[in-house]
Amino acid sequence: LYLSVAPADEAQNLFNFLKDIHATALINAEALRKLTKKFDKHHIDKIRTIDNNVYSLSAKLLPEVYASNFTVGLASVDAGLTLLRAFLNIDEEESLGDGEELRANK
């Protein structure tokens, strides 16, 4: 709806803004995931075991990270970027930047 009345320069500004949000959210999600796993790796000897079950930070925190707003919202922002790319006739390779390169290389 917005794209049907938006001038191309405003759509381009929106695209750049969403691209920045996407990159930041992706970097934050990856950083939290890696920090959690690294904490467990370096503190494996201190991880509690109760009734033969291991209780680690990853088991508790990673589900929260994957359910967080900036992780769940990535799909919505990605869908918006795809729509804007189509409207602005931008190839995905042309629009890759910071965090999007990380996702594209996975």
Side-chain angles (χ1 to χ4, degrees):
L1 190 66
Y2 172 76
L3 292 179
S4 62
V5 296
D9 61 331
E10 285 185 27
Q12 182 66 48
N13 289 340
L14 177 61
F15 177 77
N16 293 336
F17 180 69
L18 283 176
K19 203 166 76 162
D20 290 343
I21 289 175
H22 186 269
T24 302
L26 185 62
I27 290 167
N28 285 339
E30 280 296 303
L32 266 174
R33 184 187 67 77
K34 287 180 180 181
L35 283 171
T36 303
K37 290 196 169 278
K38 188 169 279 196
F39 179 87
D40 283 347
K41 182 179 177 183
H42 289 286
H43 294 88
I44 192 73
D45 55 329
K46 297 175 188 167
I47 292 176
R48 292 187 341 164
T49 307
I50 300 173
D51 297 331
N52 294 326
N53 292 320
V54 175
Y55 293 94
S56 65
L57 186 61
S58 295
K60 178 71 176 164
L61 189 60
L62 284 181
E64 297 290 331
V65 169
Y66 293 136
S68 67
N69 288 341
F70 60 85
T71 304
V72 172
L74 280 171
S76 298
V77 174
D78 199 32
L81 286 170
T82 301
L83 182 65
L84 284 164
R85 270 190 205 97
F87 177 76
L88 296 169
N89 295 319
I90 298 173
D91 290 334
E92 188 163 359
E93 294 81 30
E94 292 175 18
S95 70
L96 287 178
D98 302 331
E100 287 191 67
E101 290 173 359
L102 178 66
R103 182 188 52 129
N105 291 332
K106 283 188 171 182

